[in-house]
Amino acid sequence: MLRLIASAILAAALASAASAQEAHLRGVSAFAEKTTYSRGFEKFIERVNAAGKGVIQITYIGGPKAMPPFEVGNALKNGVVDLANATGAFYTNLMPEADAWKLTQHPMAELRKNGGFDYMATLYAQKMNAVFLARVVDNNPFHLYLNKKIASPDLKGLKLRITPVYRDFFQALGATVVQTAPGEVYTALERGVVDGYGWPITGIFDLGWNERTKYRVDPGFYSAEVSILVNKSVWEKLSDKQQAVLAKAAAEGEAEASAEFVKENAADTERQAKAGIETIKFSPDESKKYLDEAYAAGWAGIIRQSPEHGPKLKSLFSK
Ligand code: 173
């Protein structure tokens, strides 16, 4: 009898030790390590590893050297990695709706209240087996960068490097497009395979594209999105305490993203001018048409790929 009680006590002690064990998660980024669009994720990892000692720790596997960017979504979904830093455009094969984040005209704090976030979160659970932890890039417009001058928003005869972010818009303006990962942009420019590329206002210096860029077209359009996702099955196995460490670091990252990018946008705009990148500006009338076309083509693309969810997202995300 005593032996039975003793072994029951031992078993209980072992079980509680197991649940109190430090969790170890592996995270990958779709962007190069220590560059603009990995920084938010790297800060998140630092926060988790500092606050989560003895509770939860993240191992950073790295960026595109560890995994091709367009495979990150699949790896997260299938549990090959536990955490991912990626933009929706990189996993439209699994969830076309994810590319709609670029079209949000409300801050994340508002989307978390108006149902827009919850609507997307349901899709992430269903299509990505993912929990959307935090958007760590927002308030950061995309631009068209060119090596040939244009006088109006007419892109006929131009071949442009794209991802799904820009496809519908640039094609609507007459461009020919070719999709590449960010890691292939420099070589495409160097070899003259493309006349330009889409990219946000920040980050063109990270991979040296400034050396191969003559013009930036203004205005910028949309709002770049990069977010931290966690595999849902992994999330559900974490204790409340472990989840809380992730949730706190995520909330802090999301809350500071907008203000952080206001600063970075201004700094990179100035740095581009200093690097000799000229700005192509349209008339107020043409600028308005350019932006209207950006949103019209963007939403048409989302709705074409997701007739079921696109219209609802449009109403939740638009002003
Ligand atoms: O690669 C890209 O141009 C792209 O889609 C993107 C999205 C968000 C941030 C940076 C780049």
Side-chain angles (χ1 to χ4, degrees):
M1 184 63 189
L2 264 179
R3 260 215 266 155
L4 256 179
I5 291 170
S7 69
I9 288 170
L10 183 65
L14 283 176
S16 90
S19 72
Q21 239 173 32
E22 198 179 66
H24 288 262
L25 305 188
R26 286 155 37 92
V28 72
S29 178
F31 295 92
E33 279 175 69
K34 296 196 165 66
T35 63
T36 306
Y37 296 100
S38 285
R39 231 164 264 142
F41 185 52
E42 288 160 0
K43 190 157 187 193
F44 168 82
I45 293 173
E46 278 170 27
R47 279 183 166 137
V48 169
N49 289 350
K53 290 207 169 67
V55 178
I56 185 165
Q57 293 289 296
I58 299 169
T59 302
Y60 187 25
I61 302 167
K65 281 185 193 141
M67 183 178 290
F70 298 128
E71 282 170 33
V72 166
N74 217 6
L76 188 274
K77 178 179 180 179
N78 296 330
V80 172
V81 293
D82 306 311
L83 285 157
N85 179 60
T87 184
F90 289 4
Y91 48 88
T92 51
N93 54 326
L94 302 170
M95 178 180 166
E97 298 86 356
D99 191 31
W101 286 120
K102 71 187 179 193
L103 300 167
T104 53
Q105 294 176 314
H106 301 293
M108 284 303 282
E110 170 70 22
L111 294 172
R112 283 186 185 266
K113 285 185 217 144
N114 84 348
F117 177 84
D118 291 340
Y119 198 96
M120 281 293 250
T122 303
L123 297 178
Y124 272 88
Q126 287 170 355
K127 300 191 171 199
M128 293 288 295
N129 187 33
V131 173
F132 186 103
L133 283 180
R135 177 173 184 170
V136 288
V137 175
D138 201 353
N139 227 355
N140 181 238
F142 293 99
H143 283 261
L144 168 60
Y145 296 87
L146 288 176
N147 283 326
K148 286 184 184 160
K149 207 162 188 167
I150 53 168
S152 67
D154 178 357
L155 307 180
K156 273 190 214 77
L158 294 175
K159 190 166 178 191
L160 303 175
R161 174 271 172 185
I162 56 138
T163 66
V165 164
Y166 326 91
R167 175 178 279 119
D168 295 293
F169 178 36
F170 290 174
Q171 281 184 333
L173 297 179
T176 302
V177 298
V178 47
Q179 173 157 317
T180 84
E184 287 148 33
V185 172
Y186 188 94
T187 312
L189 291 167
E190 188 180 35
R191 295 190 183 155
V193 172
V194 294
D195 304 307
Y197 57 96
W199 192 259
I201 186 68
T202 51
I204 71 157
F205 293 89
D206 286 337
L207 302 177
W209 305 344
N210 53 300
E211 294 166 13
R212 302 279 166 191
T213 305
K214 290 201 181 116
Y215 308 103
R216 185 190 69 245
V217 176
D218 280 3
F221 50 91
Y222 306 159
S223 181
E225 168 270 335
V226 178
S227 304
I228 303 171
L229 310 177
V230 58
N231 177 283
K232 190 166 172 285
S233 320
V234 169
W235 173 259
E236 283 164 357
K237 281 189 207 112
L238 297 175
S239 67
D240 290 351
K241 203 173 160 191
Q242 289 163 339
Q243 288 183 354
V245 173
L246 295 184
K248 182 163 184 284
E252 286 169 358
E254 185 169 290
E256 60 197 27
S258 283
E260 179 63 32
F261 274 96
V262 168
K263 278 190 269 165
E264 291 198 28
N265 296 349
D268 262 36
T269 303
E270 197 181 320
R271 196 171 166 200
Q272 287 182 20
K274 283 201 178 122
I277 295 171
E278 287 178 49
T279 312
I280 294 175
K281 287 197 167 93
F282 302 134
S283 70
D285 208 41
E286 279 174 334
S287 295
K288 186 183 178 307
K289 273 196 209 143
Y290 184 75
L291 287 180
D292 288 348
E293 184 62 59
Y295 281 93
W299 277 119
I302 297 292
I303 291 166
R304 185 184 67 241
Q305 293 174 80
S306 182
E308 191 186 349
H309 304 295
K312 183 72 187 164
L313 290 170
K314 185 177 179 187
S315 76
L316 290 164
F317 284 3
S318 305
K319 269 203 175 129

